[in-house]
Amino acid sequence: MVPIPTSRDALFLDLDGTLAEIADTPGDVRVAKRVPELLARWTDKLDGALAVVSGRPMAQLLELLAPFEGAMAGIHGLERRFANGKTITAAPLPEMLYARRALQTFADSLSGVALEDKGSALALHYRASPEHGRACRDLAHEFGQGRLVVVPGKMVVELQPKGYDKGVALEAFMNEAPFANRRPFFVGDDRPDEAAFDYVNRVGGISVLAGPSVASTVAQYRLENVSAVLAWLEEGLSAPAEAEAIGGH
């Protein structure tokens, strides 16, 4: 059974694959109408200590989750919105300019491959043509050196500045009000979420994988899918919800 956050805890949630079903393209993703309300109710319960932490740009998060306007981190922490509404954004690195041109030319040459330009990061999506996945990953690794790193995900591979990941984003939130001195919970579904799972585990928090169990995860608990995550959030406002634990936790 996945523990339920109390009023003394902090809650961090991924978006795609956790609060919303993954779609063929990022633009096709839709958020259920009840999700912004759930986030608002949990924010009230936790006195503001809730944040959405996603690989998406913050502008997309604000659009998809409207009218929710609480704390959030976009592009794996390259963008961050504080609980008081203040925002910070990391400046794009010059190396991104050359990488952007090469990745765009590559994406234009292959059917089913699309480049998502996030400004401070780049993402090659190949869900529509999985057979091109290896070529996408190989190209990303050509640029993933120096100040850029490769971040693989579900049918996507990203390039972003070194030194940023979801674990770093969570730690930054936990060093400030209203998150400080609370036990962190994090729910995510993909490889980039492992950094957040690892951070949460190290500080005595609760890490929850959303989706199929995978041997490589360090998450302590599992919720079966997006529907299970939403049910956990809904039931957690009044009663505990059940879920499968990983590795005997």
Side-chain angles (χ1 to χ4, degrees), residues 11-33:
L11 179 58
F12 300 95
L13 300 160
D14 177 40
L15 178 63
D16 295 75
T18 301
L19 293 176
E21 299 289 354
I22 293 176
D24 288 341
T25 69
D28 292 331
V29 168
R30 296 294 180 266
V31 174
K33 291 182 179 180

Side-chain angles (χ1 to χ4, degrees), residues 87-101:
T87 62
I88 56 173
T89 302
L93 294 176
E95 291 92 331
M96 279 292 177
L97 179 60
Y98 179 59
R100 181 180 294 112
R101 292 170 179 166

Side-chain angles (χ1 to χ4, degrees), residues 6-210:
T6 72
S7 60
R8 299 180 299 276
D9 295 322
L11 179 58
F12 300 95
L13 300 160
D14 177 40
L15 178 63
D16 295 75
T18 301
L19 293 176
E21 299 289 354
I22 293 176
D24 288 341
T25 69
D28 292 331
V29 168
R30 296 294 180 266
V31 174
K33 291 182 179 180
R34 70 184 189 275
V35 170
E37 180 184 358
L38 276 173
L39 296 177
R41 291 176 65 191
W42 270 103
T43 299
D44 289 342
K45 179 176 180 176
L46 301 175
D47 294 323
L50 177 146
V52 176
V53 181
S54 172
R56 284 180 177 270
M58 200 149 49
Q60 293 181 13
L61 296 178
L62 289 168
E63 180 178 357
L64 285 167
L65 297 173
F68 175 73
E69 292 186 346
M72 56 183 64
I75 320 180
H76 308 289
L78 285 164
E79 300 176 330
R80 201 152 62 89
R81 176 187 172 95
F82 297 81
N84 63 9
K86 176 185 175 182
T87 62
I88 56 173
T89 302
L93 294 176
E95 291 92 331
M96 279 292 177
L97 179 60
Y98 179 59
R100 181 180 294 112
R101 292 170 179 166
L103 268 60
Q104 187 64 69
T105 298
F106 172 83
D108 291 343
S109 70
L110 293 175
S111 176
V113 175
L115 176 65
E116 181 184 8
D117 187 348
K118 301 180 180 183
S120 298
L122 302 168
L124 277 174
H125 295 269
Y126 52 89
R127 182 169 297 275
S129 296
E131 67 274 16
H132 296 315
R134 181 170 182 176
C136 290
R137 294 189 296 272
D138 288 347
L139 179 61
H141 279 287
E142 289 184 19
F143 294 95
Q145 51 190 310
R147 295 196 294 173
L148 299 181
V149 295
V150 176
V151 181
K154 292 179 179 177
M155 300 296 180
V156 62
V157 61
E158 298 193 36
L159 276 174
Q160 68 177 53
K162 183 182 294 185
Y164 293 88
D165 60 40
K166 291 187 178 182
V168 173
L170 261 63
E171 184 174 10
F173 278 124
M174 292 297 295
N175 285 330
E176 63 194 30
F179 301 92
N181 301 315
R182 292 170 177 259
R183 178 180 62 164
F185 279 64
F186 178 74
V187 187
D189 74 304
D190 202 356
R191 289 179 64 181
D193 298 314
E194 292 295 325
F197 293 152
D198 181 67
Y199 168 75
V200 165
N201 293 347
R202 285 189 285 108
V203 299
I206 301 295
S207 54
V208 185
L209 175 69

